[in-house]
Amino acid sequence: MHTSDDDFRALRWLPAGRLELLDQRALPERENWLRLDSAPQVATAIRDMAVRGAPAIGIAAAYGVVLSALAHAGQPQPERRAAMDADLAVLAAARPTAVNLFHALARMRVRLAACRGDPALLLAEAQAIESEDLARNLAMAEAGAALIEPGSAVLTHCNTGSLATGGHGTALGVIRTAWQAGRLSRIFATETRPWLQGARLTAWELARDRIPVTLIADSAAASVMQDAAIRWVIVGADRIAANGD
């Protein structure tokens, strides 16, 4: 079982059959958990950026399918499948550019067809999507941190940590692991306008993990890269081409 050292997540499934999302719009002033019990509510949370980050969006949508199965469990099979198809369409429309959203929904559709809407089997699939993302992030972090020369300063942009994923983070996960391994001398994070994901989320995550970070204005990045001898800039990307671009 893969584990991460951070003690917070963007979302959590409750045994009572509800999904809780950490409302990222409220950070860093307060930690407000949204309790959701329907697929349309999950879609609204995605659309309104209460949950954000491609992997976290995909995981939330997978749990949204489980909520749909629970909501329509008492209906005859044809009506239940029609209602769930409608819920999946609402989830897909919540963020048309999120690749992870469609990957997660595609997996849930396959499971849905095989299990005829059994909520327990759909929940197992959603939990697998979440745990697989965490495992990938931990592997990526180890591989990336091993490349960083000890004593390096690093700059990151936006938020690519636990709040954006199933845990630990992608680009920020590399930074988190490199810091714990003693390879980093300083960490800089840009504010990331206009949503200020760096100022509100990345800085909050690192402070929560007791990792020192220097927050800078976006426009100061070039100057800091020159004056602070930054060796690495580690960021996330929405699309990776086959050649690595």
Side-chain angles (χ1 to χ4, degrees), residues 147-172:
L147 298 173
I148 297 177
E149 305 88 347
S152 297
V154 64
L155 172 69
T156 191
H157 182 71
C158 198
N159 173 260
T160 56
S162 290
L163 293 174
T165 67
H168 201 69
T170 52
L172 194 61

Side-chain angles (χ1 to χ4, degrees), residues 230-243:
I230 289 175
R231 300 284 300 275
W232 289 82
V233 177
I234 307 179
V235 297
D238 290 329
R239 301 288 189 276
I240 305 296
N243 67 349

Side-chain angles (χ1 to χ4, degrees), residues 11-72:
L11 50 83
R12 58 195 182 198
W13 179 260
L14 301 181
R18 288 183 175 177
L19 178 66
E20 282 193 337
L21 298 178
L22 180 57
D23 189 349
Q24 299 186 29
R25 301 166 299 182
L27 293 173
E29 286 80 10
R30 64 187 187 278
E31 295 181 30
N32 180 39
W33 286 89
L34 303 175
R35 184 167 291 186
L36 312 178
D37 54 18
S38 74
Q41 287 179 342
V42 175
T44 297
I46 293 172
R47 185 175 61 250
D48 293 347
M49 294 188 72
V51 60
R52 41 142 302 279
I57 287 172
I59 295 165
Y63 283 114
V65 177
V66 182
L67 292 175
S68 177
L70 291 169
H72 304 296

